[in-house]
Amino acid sequence: MQKENFIKEREAVAVRLKELRIKAGYTSYETFAIENGLPRKNYWRLEKGENFTINTLIRILKIHGISLGDFFKGM
């Protein structure tokens, strides 16, 4: 079986994370990362659609106060 990259799916997650950050009042990904104790470079990678772990996603969603179900609703 060929390994899939799921590029479109990762890009959709990246867009949604950026939307949440902006909705929370953060115009800068760096400020969001620093103020929430996240590695700045790692968070930047998430918003660019790079691969991530589910633990990282859950951590960020907890910061925003939303569930996985709410995050993926409508995607």
Side-chain angles (χ1 to χ4, degrees):
M1 181 177 193
Q2 202 174 30
K3 185 177 178 180
E4 297 182 52
N5 287 326
F6 303 108
I7 294 169
K8 289 173 65 175
E9 291 84 353
R10 288 197 326 260
E11 287 174 352
V13 168
V15 167
R16 181 81 166 108
L17 287 173
K18 185 174 182 177
E19 289 171 352
L20 287 173
R21 172 181 54 81
I22 292 169
K23 184 178 176 183
Y26 292 92
T27 56
S28 164
Y29 80 88
E30 291 177 315
T31 304
F32 175 79
I34 291 166
E35 288 186 9
N36 289 286
L38 301 167
R40 182 182 50 83
K41 192 172 184 178
N42 289 351
Y43 185 78
W44 174 81
R45 288 180 178 142
L46 289 172
E47 283 198 8
K48 295 301 174 194
E50 293 192 16
N51 207 355
F52 59 89
T53 67
I54 192 70
N55 288 342
T56 301
L57 179 60
I58 291 169
R59 181 177 179 192
I60 293 167
L61 296 183
K62 286 189 180 287
I63 291 167
H64 288 293
I66 66 170
S67 69
L68 281 169
D70 288 338
F71 180 77
F72 286 108
K73 209 176 278 183
M75 290 181 85

